[in-house]
Structures are given as C-alpha cells and as structure tokens.
C-alpha cells in the first residue's frame, strides 16, 4: 500500500493536480536555434522497469525521463510489493519481495503499457492477473498476440470481469509466430521466455531499437537471447536472472519531434542524443522535403529550408516510418508547397489531430486511413485541444510555425511522453510557456 507522503504518492498527486490545470501557450513565428539534449526513451524505460520483476535484488536504471507514465510504472511496481523510487535521473527497484501479482484497472487504464507486467510475473511466479487495457484514443489495441504467446509457452489464460489471468506451473519454450510485429507482444514474450525451459523462437517479431535494448538488458541479467532487431529472435531459457543495471537509450520519437520543430520553423538546431540509425526513415522523408540533416558531435544538426516540399508518407513497423511520428510530420506538411498523402497503417484511429490542425487553417481531407494535406502559406494560431500524446506534440509544432497565439489545452497527454518540452523549446528561442487553464 502506498501511503500519503511517500515519494511515489507525491509524484502521482502532482500528476493528478497537473491533469486539469495546465495548458501551453505559443506565440509562433520564431525560427529555433541552438542545441537541445534528448531525454531517455519512455518506450524503452517502461519495459526495462518491468523487467526488474524478473530478478530478486536491487536493479538500477538510469537516464530515465521524468514523465507521468514513468511515475505510473513506479507506482505499479510499488503496488506489486517492490521497493521502487526515483533517485535523480535513475529509478531503483528492489523486487526481492513481491506481494501481489495483480495490476489493477485503475492503473492499467491510465497506462496500457502496464500489461508488460504479465510476462515477468508469469515467468517468475507462475501467476499474473492484469486488467485488460481496453481501447484508447488511437485504436482498439488488443493484446491477443501477447496471450497467444503465453498459451504457446504453456500458460492457462482466463478472462473474467475485465481481467486477464495467466497461470503456469512451468513455462516451456515454443515457436511463436506473431500475426503482426507487435512491440509490446515481443517485449512481453521476451521477458516470459527468458525463464522458460528450453528454446523459444519468436517469428515476425518487432524490430524497434527498444526491443534491442530490452534484449541486451535481459542478457546482462543472465538471459540468453539472440536475434533481437531482426524478425526472428531465439531465447534459451535459464533458471534465474540477476538484477539489472543500465542506462536508457535516447528517445528517438522526442528526437524526431525536435527535428520537425527545427524544420517547421526554418531553424537551425543541434539535437544532442539523436541517433541516425534509429531515424533513417524519418530522415529520408525530411531530406526529401528539403530539410538538411547532418551528423555532428553526439547528435544531428537539422536546418529547415525556407520552402518545404510536400512528400507522401506511409507509416509502418520499424524500420519503416514510425506511426509515433505521423502526427508531427503532418504538422510539417501543412506548410509544404503542394499536396502530400499520409497513410496510417498501424493504428485505426490516429488522425485525432486533424480537426485541431484544421482550426489553425490547415487544409486536410481524410480518406479512410489516409489524409491528404494541401500546404498553406501560413497557419494561424487558435485555441486547440490535445487528444493523445503525439497529437498534442503535433499541435505544439503547428503553433511554433503559426502566426499569432496558439493555446493547447489538456496537455496532460503531452506530459506522458515529453519531459519539459516547453522549457526545451523556449531554450531554443520559441516564445512558449505553460500556464494554468482559467
Ligand atoms: C508500442 O505500443 C508503443 N508504446 C506505441 O507508442 C507505438 O505507437 C507502438 O508500439 C507501435 O510502434 C510503448 O512502447 C509503450 P503494438 P504497442 O503492439 O506495443 C496491433 C507512443 O506514442 N496489435 O506494436 O501497444 C495493435 O492494435 C505510443 O509512445 C494487435 O492486434 O503497439 C496495433 O494496431 C503510442 N494485437 C499494432 O498491432 C496485439 O496483441 C501495433 O501494436 C498487439 C498489437
């Protein structure tokens, strides 16, 4: 039980307080310049935090971004009985004494990545009970592939009252072929198979950099995993794992968001921590649009052109164009010369930012899972509303380039995945600040 006053309780209370009060205000038109340091990757830190459940003893994960979702993950670890807390840029987790195997609906509904406790709890304790995450703003996002994989390893899966329960006296390695490359499914099964008896083969696995980091982290704990980063991953189960110590890789989606910020304002920004190999698809589309991108020091220098060219994109799994950059790229294309077509193939409802961009003067037509954007000379600031994490980033980017003032409300969505974004943008010369909703 987390008592009031506990640091985890205080962080969650701070998040709740921020929920209803904050908006971000932008007076657009300033070209960005200078340099920005990218934070650790939310989508790598989350599976790493849950991987600590696989080992008795104290794990330490550093370069962890200060985000709502991280606070939620730390709170969940504490609710399971682990001793978890943030110490400056690191999170320490002592998972020696786990008292519960249940992730409640209250927590899972705020962060669907909580389902990533299924694999570790099932592998270490033979039992896990997690609320089904339900849908979210961008789509149904089922976890059938996760459950199919656990059953292949010998787990018995039951669903009742909105919860999924997984039990297994022993997990035995198996061959698992995913219907589609699923990031969370690959992560959950990597963690479960690490302690299964014998060999597990994941086919049609996700190939994201976050999968590679999780595999390297598990191997540093004593696991035997080969092939992460490719579509076929081999895992030889072991008896037990040691605690984890690692630094989270930089956030390629935050880096991509700042690359678009430099491009859309016609700026010149050094993005420290950006890794070219994690961004090839985005870089190639930005260059096609006329943006200059060069490797420099420990990052990428991005120079936005006076005139942007319209380009088409089609999101897909890594190494294709990332769905998590689709909304941000659309904000860029609202200012390009010509028409561009953006097709979203990963999620079924990831155009929630379109109507808000239209309020700012964007000319966008939705046609099924595609949007056609006809570039306009100038967008105009307006009060707009965030609906999900990357849509809120898209509205911030549009506001940076628009004339007059843009107010983005409900930015608790933004705080889930971007660490102090308004402070980082202000340090690059943007006229942007956070204030309380009146
Ligand atoms: C991860 O979500 C990311 N979240 C998402 O980032 C990202 O958009 C997504 O991968 C795709 O890259 C984290 O890493 C915490 P999936 P995840 O399983 O694992 C379908 C952000 O903005 N599917 O790869 O939930 C699913 O519906 C977030 O940071 C099934 O049908 O994504 C989707 O259409 C948003 N059955 C597609 O696969 C399953 O069992 C990809 O989902 C699993 C997935």
């Amino acid at each position: 039980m987390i008592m009031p006053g506990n640091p985890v309780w205080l962080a969650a209370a701070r998040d709740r307080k921020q929920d209803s009060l904050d908006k971000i205000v932008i007076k657009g038109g300033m070209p960005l310049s200078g340099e920005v340091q990218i934070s650790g990757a939310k989508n790598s830190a989350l599976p790493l935090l849950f991987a600590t459940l696989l080992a008795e003893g104290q794990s330490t994960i550093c370069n962890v971004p200060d985000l709502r979702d991280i606070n939620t993950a730390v709170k969940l670890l504490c609710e399971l009985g682990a001793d978890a807390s943030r110490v400056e840029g690191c999170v320490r987790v002592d998972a020696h004494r786990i008292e519960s195997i249940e992730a409640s609906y209250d927590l899972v509904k705020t962060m669907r990545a909580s389902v990533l406790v299924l694999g570790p709890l099932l592998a270490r304790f033979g039992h896990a009970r997690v609320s089904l995450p339900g849908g979210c703003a961008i789509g149904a996002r089922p976890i059938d592939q996760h459950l199919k994989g656990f059953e292949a390893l010998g787990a018995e899966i039951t669903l009742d009252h909105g919860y999924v329960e997984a039990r297994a006296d022993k997990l035995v390695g198996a061959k698992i072929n995913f219907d589609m490359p699923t990031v969370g499914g690959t992560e959950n099964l990597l963690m479960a198979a690490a302690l299964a008896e014998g060999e597990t083969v994941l086919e049609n696995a996700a190939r994201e950099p976050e999968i590679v980091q999780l595999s390297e982290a598990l191997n540093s704990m004593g696991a035997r995993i080969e092939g992460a980063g490719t579509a076929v991953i081999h895992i030889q189960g072991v008896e037990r794992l040691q605690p984890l110590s690692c630094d989270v890789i930089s956030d390629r989606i935050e880096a991509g968001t700042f690359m678009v910020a430099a491009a859309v304002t016609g700026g010149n920004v050094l993005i420290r921590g950006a890794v070219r190999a994690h961004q090839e698809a985005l870089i190639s589309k930005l260059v096609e649009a006329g943006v200059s991108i060069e490797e420099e020091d420990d990052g990428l220098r991005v120079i936005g052109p006076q005139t942007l060219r319209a380009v088409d994109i089609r999101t897909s799994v890594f190494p294709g164009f990332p769905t998590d950059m689709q909304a941000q790229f659309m904000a860029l294309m609202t200012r390009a010369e010509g028409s561009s077509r953006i097709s979203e193939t990963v999620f079924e409802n990831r155009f929630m930012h379109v109507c808000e961009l239209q309020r700012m003067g964007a000319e966008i037509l939705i046609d099924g899972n595609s949007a056609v954007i006809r570039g306009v000379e100038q967008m105009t600031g307006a009060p707009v509303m965030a609906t999900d994490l990357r849509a809120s980033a898209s509205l911030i980017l549009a506001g940076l380039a628009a004339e007059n003032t843009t107010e983005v409300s409900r930015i608790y969505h933004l705080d889930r995945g971007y660490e102090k974004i308004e402070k980082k943008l202000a340090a690059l010369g943007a006229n942007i600040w956070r204030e309380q909703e009146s």
Side-chain angles (χ1 to χ4, degrees):
M1 181 64 190
I2 301 172
M3 303 306 289
N6 167 301
V8 174
W9 185 88
L10 289 171
R14 184 197 66 204
D15 286 350
R16 273 197 302 281
K17 180 176 174 304
Q18 276 176 341
D19 279 2
S20 56
L21 298 179
D22 287 359
K23 65 184 173 185
I24 282 187
V25 182
I26 307 154
K27 286 189 184 303
M30 305 293 288
L32 301 187
S33 64
E35 58 182 74
V36 62
Q37 178 61 53
I38 297 303
S39 301
K42 164 179 83 82
N43 291 351
S44 195
L46 290 171
L48 292 172
L49 284 169
F50 295 133
T52 64
L53 291 169
L54 286 162
E56 294 187 20
Q58 176 163 299
S59 295
T60 303
I61 301 172
C62 291
N63 196 33
V64 178
D66 182 8
L67 300 171
R68 280 165 48 92
D69 275 9
I70 300 297
N71 294 339
T72 304
V74 171
K75 190 162 177 249
L76 173 52
L77 288 167
C78 290
E79 288 205 350
L80 295 173
D83 177 5
S85 59
R86 175 181 278 277
V87 179
E88 287 162 17
C90 302
V91 173
R92 288 215 184 105
V93 184
D94 186 334
H96 186 84
R97 189 174 43 83
I98 295 298
E99 294 157 342
S100 161
I101 51 87
E102 177 166 321
S104 67
Y105 176 62
D106 281 352
L107 267 173
V108 177
K109 75 181 178 189
T110 59
M111 185 186 69
R112 45 181 310 104
S114 309
V115 297
L116 292 175
V117 300
L118 272 168
L121 292 175
L122 186 60
R124 186 167 157 208
F125 302 104
H127 189 192
R129 182 175 155 82
V130 174
S131 164
L132 281 166
C136 76
I138 63 177
R141 301 182 72 183
I143 59 167
D144 57 299
Q145 299 298 304
H146 303 228
L147 305 182
K148 178 178 98 168
F150 294 140
E151 283 180 324
L153 296 180
E156 184 197 348
I157 302 289
T158 51
L159 303 179
D160 80 297
H161 294 92
Y163 278 76
V164 60
E165 190 137 10
R167 290 176 184 274
D169 295 337
K170 180 172 65 171
L171 291 180
V172 179
K175 179 182 285 192
I176 298 163
N177 189 298
F178 291 116
D179 295 359
M180 79 292 293
T182 152
V183 171
T186 304
E187 290 166 343
N188 241 337
L189 271 299
L190 274 177
M191 293 188 279
L195 290 179
E197 187 181 277
E199 179 178 55
T200 296
V201 182
L202 302 183
E203 294 179 335
N204 201 16
R207 300 167 54 188
E208 276 71 359
E210 294 76 28
I211 304 279
V212 174
Q213 173 155 50
L214 177 62
S215 168
E216 288 168 352
L218 290 169
N219 283 343
S220 75
M221 296 165 77
R224 294 171 55 200
I225 302 170
E226 288 181 359
T230 74
V232 182
I233 304 176
H234 291 259
I235 305 110
Q236 297 295 339
V238 295
E239 283 291 312
R240 76 177 51 249
L241 294 171
Q242 302 308 313
L244 170 61
S245 173
C246 74
D247 291 347
V248 179
I249 58 174
S250 70
D251 191 319
R252 62 192 168 95
I253 304 301
E254 184 194 20
T257 303
F258 275 92
M259 290 164 76
V260 172
V264 78
T265 59
N268 181 332
V269 177
L270 175 60
I271 299 169
R272 290 196 180 283
V275 176
R276 184 182 192 95
H278 295 173
Q279 312 273 358
E280 292 293 3
L282 172 65
I283 288 170
S284 114
K285 285 298 178 182
L286 286 171
V287 169
E288 203 181 317
V291 180
S292 155
I293 299 174
E294 297 300 333
E295 287 188 81
E296 194 178 297
D297 297 342
D298 68 342
L300 295 172
R301 179 168 295 281
V302 179
I303 302 174
Q306 282 313 307
T307 307
L308 284 158
R309 290 192 290 268
V311 296
D312 296 343
I313 64 165
R314 185 178 177 78
T315 66
S316 71
V317 297
F318 192 89
F321 191 97
T323 173
D324 292 350
M325 280 301 305
Q326 178 259 110
Q328 300 92 310
F329 201 85
M330 188 182 289
L332 182 69
M333 290 294 100
T334 62
R335 302 209 54 213
E337 243 181 21
S339 285
S340 55
R341 187 177 189 87
I342 292 183
S343 300
E344 173 56 64
T345 70
V346 176
F347 289 109
E348 63 267 33
N349 185 37
R350 207 167 194 178
F351 285 148
M352 306 278 279
H353 42 287
V354 168
C355 42
E356 299 303 308
L357 291 172
Q358 287 168 331
R359 289 175 45 74
M360 299 175 70
E363 291 185 18
I364 305 172
L365 278 178
I366 292 182
D367 169 18
N369 72 340
S370 291
V372 177
I373 301 98
R374 187 181 307 133
V376 294
E377 188 64 34
Q378 183 68 52
M379 297 262 277
T380 55
V384 290
M385 186 174 74
T387 52
D388 58 84
L389 170 55
R390 306 304 175 184
S392 37
S394 167
L395 300 177
I396 298 279
L397 295 172
L400 290 173
E403 61 184 5
N404 303 328
T405 301
T406 297
E407 295 192 355
V408 184
S409 61
R410 300 194 181 184
I411 54 158
Y412 54 86
H413 292 290
L414 194 70
D415 293 334
R416 297 190 52 176
Y418 289 94
E419 187 177 20
K420 306 183 183 67
I421 192 169
E422 77 278 5
K423 289 187 167 45
K424 291 185 177 182
L425 287 168
L428 293 173
N431 196 348
I432 181 173
W433 64 93
R434 181 186 288 250
E435 62 182 50
Q436 290 190 354
E437 287 278 13
S438 55

